[in-house]
Amino acid sequence: MAERDWRIFKEDFNIMCKGGRIPNPIRNWDESDLPNDLKEIINRVGYKEPTPIQRQAIPIGLQNRDIIGVAQTGSGKTAAFLLPLLKWIQSLPKIERMEDADSGPYAIILSPTRELAQQIEEETVKFALDLNIRTVAVIGGLSREEQGFKLRQGCEIVIATPGRLIDVLENRYLVLVQCTYVVMDEADKMLNMGFEPDVQKILSYLPASNLKPDNEDAEDSEVLMKNYSSKKKYRQTVMFTATMPPAVERLAKNYLRRPAVVYIGSAGKPAEKTEQIVYMVSDNEKRKKLVSILNSRLDPPIIIFVNQKKGVDVLAKSLEKMGFNATTLHGGKGQEQREFALASLKNGSKDILVATDVAGRGIDIKDVSLVINYDMAKSIEDYTHRIGRTGRAGKTGVAISFLTKDDSFVFYDLKQCLINSPVSHCPPELANHPEAQHKPGLVVQKKRKDETIFLS
């Protein structure tokens, strides 16, 4: 295809790129330069066509480039970083003897939450099992000693939450002396949760000897592919995120070398196929409004977000008393309880999941028809992730939010989301509200009759 054709192809899939020497996207799996056995597994698990992020990120990843991928949740990011990783590991000797584990895994994948880490592990096992590539999940809520035993058995990939990974590193259950592939998934969430010092500490455990040069060579595929099929290749760092706040940009600047940046659609904007509905209510009206909605459109699975753990339990009990089939998920639950709650929603034994923001990021529950923000999210980023639980993988969805006067700090940003959505409508009560006319923290001051300025 000519350059113009590639430009049109990228526009068709909302692919935008920054950075030098970026390869063309793949049009189908046959063009992906992945090994045949990996393509057979892709076909078997039912991935008929690459998603937009996969089309562009996979060919970049196969060149050993550092990548920042900015895409909505449910866009296929896991396979986008996993497939290039598995191709590389296939070229390396397997870690088979216990004593080999002293040199550690070839790759680490960092996740902000246990649930997302386990979801990544499930996805990885789909591909890795037949390739004889082993993974170990290192997460809180499970026995550290048991995880240490699995690590000593040897594995090629470790999938971890930052806190527990530091724990096993400090206790010498694990070393990273031959780790040359690092993935940070949901990087914005990780930093929002205060994990930036932990991420920096983990990266300090990696050898400095495999760092890419911080010059144009870090964009040159020929230079980057030297020693590719060995443990001595340049370290590859991949960061996936749904939004690009300053903290993520700072982390990328410190730890990625000349990364290719791939944007799918508009970074941080809610899915265009999700209809967003807003109701302005008082606190006393919420419960009655919720019951009315559930009675009229109970098409499970449904996720209801509440901000406080106690509020989750109280609302779920109330719904159960009214005959609704609900379960709960929040940070106060044990790991087994959290896993059971998610499994109950996925297998259909429960219709409704009442949850805090623990369920707001990265968790993939198929065909969620409706998301309800019983309590409005504390930021527009959290709102974006919450409503990203529905309308996934090309399907349509509905997100309903209850707004009270106490949520005025998010009125302006929410109004912009609704105005910019092709399938949503901004109600007059929000559109005309004084707090929705400018960003919070800005003082509107009249200078003259015909001029208004904004001061921070």
Side-chain angles (χ1 to χ4, degrees):
M1 292 199 327
E3 187 60 37
R4 177 178 175 277
D5 297 325
W6 283 116
R7 191 169 66 249
I8 293 169
F9 180 84
K10 287 181 181 180
E11 287 174 2
D12 287 343
F13 288 98
N14 286 321
I15 298 171
M16 294 171 283
C17 302
K18 285 198 311 186
R21 308 188 194 185
I22 293 175
N24 289 323
I26 55 174
R27 291 171 292 183
N28 51 59
W29 290 117
D30 289 335
E31 290 185 348
S32 65
D33 199 28
L34 293 167
N36 287 333
D37 52 357
L38 207 44
K39 288 178 185 173
E40 287 173 10
I41 298 171
I42 290 169
N43 185 54
R44 193 164 66 242
V45 298
Y47 289 9
K48 292 183 172 58
E49 291 287 332
T51 66
I53 188 67
Q54 292 162 4
R55 290 178 190 276
Q56 187 62 76
I58 288 172
I60 297 171
L62 291 172
Q63 291 186 350
N64 198 25
R65 285 282 302 273
D66 286 3
I67 305 170
I68 300 173
V70 187
Q72 296 162 358
T73 52
S75 58
K77 289 182 283 185
T78 305
F81 64 71
L82 196 57
L83 295 172
L85 167 59
L86 293 174
K87 180 188 176 181
W88 170 60
I89 290 179
Q90 280 184 277
S91 68
L92 301 177
K94 296 291 179 282
I95 302 172
E96 292 176 350
R97 302 189 309 277
M98 283 183 69
E99 53 267 31
D100 286 340
D102 291 339
S103 53
Y106 293 137
I108 55 170
I109 301 172
L110 296 176
S111 152
T113 65
R114 305 173 194 174
E115 285 77 18
L116 179 56
Q118 289 176 311
Q119 188 174 294
I120 294 169
E121 183 187 26
E122 284 175 21
E123 190 75 2
T124 305
V125 168
K126 277 186 204 173
F127 293 94
L129 196 60
D130 288 349
L131 302 174
N132 196 27
I133 295 172
R134 288 157 302 165
T135 68
V136 172
V138 177
I139 60 175
L142 301 175
S143 162
R144 187 179 67 186
E145 290 71 23
E146 186 179 327
Q147 290 172 353
F149 176 76
K150 287 181 181 178
L151 292 170
R152 289 200 182 98
Q153 296 294 313
C155 66
E156 286 74 39
I157 302 172
V158 166
I159 302 163
T161 48
R164 177 53 66 91
L165 184 57
I166 286 178
D167 192 17
V168 299
L169 287 168
E170 288 178 340
N171 286 281
R172 302 291 294 177
Y173 285 110
L174 178 69
V175 292
L176 300 175
V177 295
Q178 66 176 7
C179 178
T180 58
Y181 200 113
V182 180
V183 178
M184 290 176 263
D185 197 14
E186 299 281 2
D188 49 350
K189 173 69 170 178
M190 248 185 304
L191 301 190
N192 283 344
M193 293 174 69
F195 283 132
E196 186 171 1
D198 289 352
V199 171
Q200 291 172 343
K201 190 168 187 178
I202 289 163
L203 295 175
S204 73
Y205 278 89
L206 273 70
S209 58
N210 60 20
L211 284 172
K212 290 185 173 84
D214 195 8
N215 55 38
E216 288 185 5
D217 284 350
E219 299 175 357
D220 188 331
S221 60
E222 288 186 18
V223 173
L224 297 178
M225 293 302 284
K226 285 179 182 175
N227 300 318
Y228 178 77
S229 297
S230 75
K231 302 176 187 178
K232 295 184 178 180
K233 82 171 181 77
Y234 284 124
R235 185 197 303 175
Q236 186 171 8
T237 308
V238 178
M239 179 185 287
F240 280 87
T241 180
T243 57
M244 275 292 281
V248 172
E249 292 182 7
R250 183 174 65 247
L251 192 70
K253 188 175 181 182
N254 289 340
Y255 294 103
L256 277 68
R257 298 293 172 88
R258 301 290 183 101
V261 185
V262 181
Y263 293 90
I264 304 300
S266 300
K269 286 191 177 179
E272 291 188 349
K273 294 191 175 183
T274 300
E275 181 188 2
Q276 301 165 67
I277 301 170
V278 170
Y279 293 111
M280 304 287 281
V281 296
S282 67
D283 283 321
N284 294 333
E285 293 170 332
K286 279 186 180 181
R287 189 74 56 93
K288 186 177 178 183
K289 187 68 178 173
L290 175 65
V291 173
S292 171
I293 290 167
L294 293 178
N295 280 327
S296 65
R297 57 196 312 164
L298 185 59
D299 181 17
I302 291 169
I303 302 178
I304 301 173
F305 284 101
V306 179
N307 289 341
Q308 302 295 326
K309 289 183 268 190
K310 184 178 178 182
V312 167
D313 293 329
V314 169
L315 181 60
K317 282 180 184 174
S318 177
L319 291 175
E320 287 275 309
K321 285 179 182 176
M322 287 184 274
F324 294 105
N325 201 5
T327 186
T328 59
L329 179 66
H330 58 67
K333 299 281 184 181
Q335 188 59 31
E336 285 187 8
Q337 292 173 302
R338 291 161 78 158
E339 289 176 22
F340 183 76
L342 283 173
S344 299
L345 197 69
K346 289 179 179 179
N347 65 27
S349 59
K350 295 288 185 180
D351 298 330
I352 300 168
L353 177 69
V354 186
T356 60
D357 278 322
V358 165
R361 303 235 183 178
I363 294 171
D364 188 19
I365 299 166
K366 283 184 171 53
D367 302 327
V368 172
S369 68
L370 176 63
V371 165
I372 299 175
N373 288 307
Y374 187 81
D375 292 336
M376 185 57 190
K378 296 297 184 185
S379 70
I380 203 64
E381 289 80 17
D382 288 339
Y383 170 80
T384 299
H385 285 286
R386 284 182 178 187
I387 73 169
R389 300 309 99 208
T390 185
R392 294 168 73 84
K395 295 179 180 174
T396 58
V398 177
I400 296 175
S401 301
F402 296 160
L403 287 186
T404 71
K405 63 181 187 308
D406 295 330
D407 300 315
S408 59
F409 56 86
V410 83
F411 282 7
Y412 175 84
D413 288 327
L414 181 59
K415 175 183 170 183
Q416 302 310 309
C417 282
L418 295 169
I419 290 171
N420 292 320
S421 167
V423 294
S424 305
H425 169 69
C426 185
E429 306 96 295
L430 176 61
N432 300 325
H433 197 285
E435 297 291 343
Q437 307 313 311
H438 55 83
K439 270 191 169 293
L442 295 179
V443 179
V444 181
Q445 177 182 329
K446 281 277 188 183
K447 277 185 78 181
R448 293 194 303 268
K449 224 181 215 183
D450 59 342
E451 184 180 3
T452 303
I453 63 170
F454 296 89
L455 301 174
S456 60

